Amino acid sequence: MESVVRVAVDADMPGVREVATHFELLDDWEGMPDFLDAERAYGKLVVGEAGGRIVGFGGVLRRGKLSHLGDLFVLPEYQSSGIGRSILSEVLPSGTPGATFASDDPRALGLYVRQGMRPVCPLLYLIYHPNKTSGPRAPEAPEPTRAQAGPAARKPAAGPAVPEAVPREVAALDARLAGGDRTGSLSWYAGLPGVTLHVTGAGYAFARRTEEDLEVGPAGGETPQDCAAALSAAVAAVDPDVDEVQVAVPGVHPLLPELLRSGWEIDDMDTLMTTDPTLLRLDHYLPHPDLG
């Protein structure tokens, strides 16, 4: 059966969301704009079509020159057909600076390696149950070394005008930690129902309430301690009826062992991959699972 890979248009979105629903990607996005809308507005969304049916899609969000591959999904009956490889080549051409959170599927890992990315570290999805422990907290990270302080210790640089939803200094700091400016998508996210932004000195943390849970990220700081303080502020502000707090932590982040000692648990994990590890400050940064 002949397949077609192309940029998504409005008429494709019901089919795209059918594929996303099959993989349970939209469970926490019901009743509001979702990350697929963000990919179309602030990156690129590509579909794979077979027999007139949308059978897969891939999406990136751009931040500066870096493209974060948030999605690459093909329905099971069309996997290993070459559609996934064609979608990836269209949405993230070879030679493009990129990053992704890869599942444990060996086929996906091999595909991303061939596209120029390399595994950097595990990305651990941690959960915390405030009502089952002595109280949610994110302890301070160890004192940063001179090497850790690196570029992230600079004062926020002047940049383009930033909508009021995201202060200029937050957008500038996030750009240095996450690999590039994404003022547009951060402002879009900040404007969604249930999203709050916590700014603590030299740190920031976005948090979104989803049903009975709280999802924290992206978050970061000038130092690992600043990142920890911002996470603490977001978690400390949870409503009493929040059942679970979620955060994604790179395996190299110095905050990880402290969180585990404080009652957080590893719920799942991916492999963080990138074409250039120097683009990301993974010891200062906590990404968002869907937005990078």
Side-chain angles (χ1 to χ4, degrees):
M1 182 181 299
E2 184 179 357
S3 61
V4 176
V5 171
R6 54 179 173 77
V7 175
V9 297
D10 289 345
D12 296 323
M13 296 313 292
V16 170
R17 289 195 167 91
E18 283 186 15
V19 176
T21 299
H22 174 86
F23 291 100
E24 302 180 342
L25 304 179
L26 301 177
D27 290 356
D28 292 331
W29 292 89
E30 294 182 3
M32 67 173 66
D34 53 46
F35 57 89
L36 299 172
D37 298 305
E39 288 170 349
R40 289 192 68 195
Y42 304 105
K44 188 176 184 180
L45 185 65
V46 170
V47 298
E49 189 178 36
R53 176 192 180 195
I54 302 297
V55 300
F57 69 92
V60 299
L61 280 166
R62 295 195 179 96
R63 42 190 199 248
K65 295 180 179 180
L66 177 69
S67 292
H68 174 77
L69 178 68
D71 302 294
L72 182 60
F73 292 93
V74 177
L75 292 174
E77 60 267 37
Y78 294 92
Q79 292 175 5
S80 301
S81 67
I83 291 179
R85 182 169 58 253
S86 297
I87 292 174
L88 180 60
S89 296
E90 176 66 25
V91 77
L92 191 69
S94 180
T96 301
T100 194
F101 308 150
S103 71
D104 59 359
D105 187 333
R107 293 172 299 179
L109 289 167
L111 183 62
Y112 299 146
V113 168
R114 289 191 294 272
Q115 201 69 10
M117 288 189 253
R118 298 292 183 270
V120 177
C121 68
L123 181 68
L124 304 171
Y125 299 104
L126 271 55
I127 58 174
Y128 194 97
H129 297 282
N131 298 320
K132 296 181 181 179
T133 55
S134 58
R137 66 188 185 94
E140 290 188 359
E143 285 290 334
T145 66
R146 184 177 300 274
Q148 288 172 330
R154 297 195 303 264
K155 295 294 183 181
V162 178
E164 291 184 1
V166 179
R168 180 186 297 270
E169 61 271 18
V170 170
L173 176 57
D174 177 84
R176 295 200 306 276
L177 303 181
D181 180 76
R182 53 173 168 176
T183 297
S185 57
L186 285 182
S187 298
W188 170 87
Y189 187 60
L192 293 182
V195 175
T196 54
L197 171 59
H198 305 265
V199 181
T200 56
Y204 69 97
F206 290 84
R208 181 169 70 96
R209 178 70 185 269
T210 63
E211 296 294 332
E212 298 178 350
D213 301 334
L214 185 79
E215 183 178 65
V216 181
E222 297 280 11
T223 68
Q225 292 112 315
D226 294 322
C227 181
L231 175 60
S232 289
V235 175
V238 299
D239 296 331
D241 57 342
V242 164
D243 177 64
E244 183 176 282
V245 183
Q246 307 158 355
V247 67
V249 184
V252 297
H253 201 299
L255 182 59
L256 176 61
E258 296 301 321
L259 286 173
L260 295 177
R261 283 192 286 266
S262 299
W264 294 72
E265 301 173 356
I266 298 173
D267 183 58
D268 203 355
M269 65 178 287
D270 284 333
T271 298
L272 195 153
M273 304 182 69
T274 179
T275 56
D276 183 358
T278 66
L279 294 173
L280 305 172
R281 294 307 308 271
L282 298 178
D283 53 349
H284 295 66
Y285 178 63
L286 304 172
H288 186 284
D290 295 318
L291 306 180

